[in-house]
């Protein structure tokens, strides 16, 4: 049985995603295709343009059989943590056989070579890394330079460590190794626009360019860049007043949180170091909106995305010591956002094969937690989940949803606990 | 030298306030008149309709010589704490000789009688208090019932302990005693509308009714209820996009704060007890706005105002143990919001006579803090301030201003630290 696993955000689902999905299916010829998808907040350190339930609906319509939610604590972090969570979810289904990811180089052998150096931490490499860190480079940049030097300025390698999807791909490989996974990785050459490209390029436009048009109230212009279903669901959610959502909608809550904080309140927050706490607090008082704040806080040392991610960490009070646990133990549950008929069959198989609780009714989270505690005493333990970490992680997902819904223009929609009330999406 | 002290909010300054000011002057024949005024947040547990600087400007125009800011930590609390802070500021000028406050009964002898019972805590009274507390009444209600019983259902006393301004008056008297003050208290019969009366009554309308009209965009209708200067300044601030402000403008930040909180995060917040923490957290997830939330959290036990005040305590993370210090030591500085020419003379006298730092340039707060620390070692101590409490209290004032400005429609105005940038108002 071949089960294809994809790691996605679908923010929103566009033609490039469809191309990727179909190409991946050609490579793997899967019996089933599942995806692990970011929830209401995505890896750019921003809220998604529409909520996770609507994005799940589109994904199921486009041919994904089950959509799992990437827990919030992994979704908005840097490549390594994002990969840790998403590979963790796919691996822990205990049925996924292959993953396919887009990559600029599409050279899996080179990616494996690099991943191998990072995993084995060869002395020659770690010395180079230390050297560049001492020179004041940020960790990602120091790693990039160390790898370049390690591979003796091999031009192909050099290109790989420059590109965001290649870097993410390397982290997927690192984490397949971390989880001791038998999943086979494949890559696809990325086509069309670059992920961050804000220029609209017609049929194969980037998600960034598509979101830009939606915010400019030019949704009809994206017609050729997204499947019909995406357009339909986007329009529906917007007409309900549940979107489009962006970071600027969080202006008041972000500035409130920062303006109220003292340095000691946020120094133990994940990724807050080297004076970033002071920059956030001081500039928050003098910024008129989030865009203004980000421009002020950003520096040579802190990239725009890094600043946004750490800002969300402050907003959600995600501590450094919590993150260490999450990185070590991985995701503690498989939250199902939706499935189709085929997916339902596979879900029954997963329920038997996985050592982690499958969550289709999140409102029962506390009963599941109690069950996990009880299970600890069983000699034939059914679950590998650590109950306390399970509880912490899922509560973050709920909080993320409850904060996200606050951003809806429609205040009625914002007064439901969506995770408690919305049923799992069935197609 | 007679110096009249008034305790005010001027939210906004209306004909009733002018009547009170003029009547008070008739009673005291003062050489100078000073006021201690709530800053950007008021005793109803809400933000003021326009900012403290604009309200100061009106006050100076109407005949107040110096406006002091009531520190935030006292301004939004129940009658006892509000009185502790405001009497504290007036007493610590060391020049105020008389205060005049409005009261429903206007019977100073009766008020003193009641205050005396509360101060001396006679056994007969405390036993009654305990009895009503045990019966499940809230503290203010138990106190009311105990006082009624203690005075043997004297009908006049009974009326007094029912009325909000009489109760506040009793707290003023209690605190004059607490500070060992020589200030002479006087009362004036309150005229016109009741403080909470939302019905518009023309020339002598309540502040509540006036604010209501402003929010309904009928500002021209208040023309006969407020002095010209009030109207002019209100219109100016509204046209700048700096108002009108109300609690609903805090929707996102309040719901964000509550939806993110766990019970243990807020159990040590001032006034959060008897399940109020749980009510706030749970209902926040199911409320569409602040009005909706307040209706849900309110109960027989917790009045509307009590709920609003404790909500602000959560928002500003004001802990119970901090409050105890503030109640014990009183306000640690005299922050001057504005003065006129006459006021300047008096300010020079106060600078000599007061044992507390006079703040006219808040941006120098840290230098003042350092000065207070240094002063501790002097044999001839100039100041009675406790440096750490000074620092805590003034930082709350700054935070209150920085959160308040977030509520302006004009985002540029919201990006100044007004306390640092606005000069003291001089008329």
């Amino acid at each position: 049985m071949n089960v294809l696993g994809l790691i996605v955000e679908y923010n929103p689902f566009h033609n490039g995603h469809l191309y990727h999905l179909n190409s991946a299916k050609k490579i793997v010829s899967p019996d089933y295709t599942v995806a692990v998808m970011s929830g209401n907040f995505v890896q750019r350190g921003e809220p998604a343009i529409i909520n996770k339930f609507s994005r799940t609906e589109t994904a199921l319509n486009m041919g994904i059989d089950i959509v799992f939610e990437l827990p919030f604590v992994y979704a908005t972090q840097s490549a390594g943590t994002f990969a840790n969570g998403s590979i963790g979810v796919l691996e822990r289904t205990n049925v996924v056989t292959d993953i396919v990811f887009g990559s600029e180089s599409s050279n899996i052998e080179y990616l494996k070579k690099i991943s191998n150096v990072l995993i084995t931490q060869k002395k020659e490499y770690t010395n180079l890394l230390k050297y560049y860190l001492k020179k004041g480079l940020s960790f990602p940049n120091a790693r990039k330079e160390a790898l370049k030097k390690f591979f003796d300025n091999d031009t192909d390698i050099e290109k790989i460590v420059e590109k965001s999807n290649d870097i993410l791909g390397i982290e997927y490989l690192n984490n397949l190794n971390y989880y001791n996974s038998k999943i086979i990785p494949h890559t696809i050459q990325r086509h069309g626009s670059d992920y961050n490209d804000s220029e609209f390029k017609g049929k194969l436009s980037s998600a960034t360019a598509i979101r830009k048009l939606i915010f400019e109230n030019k949704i009809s212009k994206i017609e050729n860049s997204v499947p019909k279903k995406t357009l339909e669901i986007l329009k529906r959610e917007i007409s309900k007043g549940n979107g489009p959502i962006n970071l600027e909608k969080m202006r008041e809550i972000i500035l409130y949180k920062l303006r109220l904080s003292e340095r000691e309140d946020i120094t133990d927050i994940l990724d807050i170091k080297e004076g970033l706490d002071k920059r956030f607090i001081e500039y928050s008082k003098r910024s008129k909106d989030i865009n203004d704040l980000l421009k002020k806080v950003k520096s040579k040392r802190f990239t725009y995305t890094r600043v946004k991610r750490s800002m969300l960490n402050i907003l959600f009070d995600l501590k450094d010591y919590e993150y260490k646990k999450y990185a070590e133990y991985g995701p503690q549950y498989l939250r199902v956002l939706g499935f189709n008929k085929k997916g339902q069959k596979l879900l029954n198989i997963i329920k038997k094969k996985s050592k982690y609780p499958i969550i289709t009714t999140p409102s029962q989270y506390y009963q599941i937690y109690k069950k996990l505690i009880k299970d600890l005493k069983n000699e034939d333990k059914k679950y590998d989940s650590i109950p306390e970490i399970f509880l912490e992680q899922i509560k973050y997902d709920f909080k993320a949803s409850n904060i996200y819904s606050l951003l809806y223009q429609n205040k009625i929609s914002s007064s439901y606990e969506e995770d408690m009330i919305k049923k799992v999406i069935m197609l």
Side-chain angles (χ1 to χ4, degrees), chain A residues 54 58 73-74 86 125 248 319 361 377 418:
Chain A
S54 306
T58 317
V73 296
Y74 302 98
S86 45
Y125 162 73
E248 207 53 75
K319 308 263 199 256
T361 314
K377 294 169 202 152
E418 288 186 321

Side-chain angles (χ1 to χ4, degrees), chain A residues 199-359:
Chain A
E199 204 189 317
F200 185 70
K201 291 185 176 156
K203 244 187 127 181
L204 282 178
S205 291
S206 74
T208 302
I210 291 169
R211 286 195 303 271
K212 193 163 168 270
L213 283 172
I214 297 170
F215 277 102
E216 288 166 354
N217 257 320
K218 296 176 188 155
I219 194 164
S220 58
K221 282 203 178 169
I222 68 167
E223 214 166 81
N224 292 321
S225 320
V226 300
K228 261 193 188 152
K229 204 70 195 177
T230 297
L231 196 64
E232 177 195 320
I233 290 174
L234 267 170
K235 281 185 175 168
R236 184 193 70 200
E237 290 304 307
I238 291 171
S239 77
K240 277 201 243 168
N242 296 351
I245 306 296
N246 64 7
L247 200 53
E248 207 53 75
K249 306 242 176 214
M250 305 178 82
R251 173 182 180 268
E252 278 82 11
I253 63 181
I254 289 173
L255 292 182
Y256 153 74
K257 175 67 182 177
L258 294 174
R259 288 183 181 191
L260 203 74
S261 294
E262 304 268 338
R263 283 187 80 168
E264 59 265 31
D265 298 329
I266 62 170
T267 40
D268 60 347
I269 296 290
L270 173 57
D271 273 346
I272 297 298
K273 39 195 146 190
E274 296 156 359
L276 202 47
D277 47 355
K278 196 179 167 188
R279 294 177 77 85
F280 268 125
I281 292 173
E282 286 311 312
Y283 288 130
S284 73
K285 298 174 195 162
R286 283 171 253 153
S287 295
K288 64 179 170 49
D289 55 29
I290 300 304
N291 195 28
D292 189 15
L293 174 69
L294 292 175
K295 267 194 234 152
K296 283 172 175 148
V297 175
K298 197 193 159 308
S299 70
K300 237 170 79 183
R301 197 177 193 95
F302 305 117
T303 67
Y304 200 64
T305 307
R306 163 75 195 279
V307 170
K308 286 190 289 178
R309 285 179 193 142
S310 46
M311 193 166 74
L312 286 188
N313 291 342
I314 295 174
L315 200 71
F316 283 95
D317 214 17
L318 192 62
K319 308 263 199 256
D320 196 55
Y321 61 83
E322 292 174 332
Y323 156 75
K324 283 197 183 104
K325 282 185 297 186
Y326 306 148
E328 185 174 351
Y329 295 103
Q332 300 296 304
Y333 50 86
L334 303 170
R335 159 98 186 256
V336 179
L337 287 172
F339 52 82
N340 60 19
K341 290 237 167 72
K342 244 176 91 191
Q344 189 160 21
K345 272 193 219 159
L346 181 61
L347 206 54
N348 287 328
I349 302 172
I350 295 173
K351 275 182 190 162
K352 281 177 203 131
K353 297 192 75 175
S354 175
K355 302 279 277 174
Y356 290 83
I358 318 296
I359 300 181

Side-chain angles (χ1 to χ4, degrees), chain A residues 75-110:
Chain A
T76 59
Q77 305 302 332
S78 58
T81 313
F82 181 85
N84 178 311
S86 45
I87 294 292
V89 168
L90 295 178
E91 167 62 20
R92 288 172 174 181
T93 61
N94 218 356
V95 299
V96 171
T97 54
D98 300 78
I99 62 168
V100 181
F101 53 86
S103 128
E104 289 86 356
S105 69
S106 191
N107 190 330
I108 193 83
E109 290 317 312
Y110 265 123

Side-chain angles (χ1 to χ4, degrees), chain A residues 161-197:
Chain A
V161 295
E162 293 282 359
K163 300 288 186 179
S164 60
N165 283 281
D166 280 337
I167 292 168
L168 206 46
I170 294 165
E171 294 291 357
Y172 293 148
L173 300 180
N174 294 348
N175 278 286
L176 285 175
N177 176 277
Y178 182 79
Y179 286 105
N180 233 328
S181 174
K182 291 195 188 96
I183 294 174
I184 301 158
H186 313 264
T187 63
I188 296 179
Q189 178 81 50
R190 274 181 68 91
H191 275 266
S193 305
D194 190 39
Y195 146 90
N196 267 312
D197 196 345

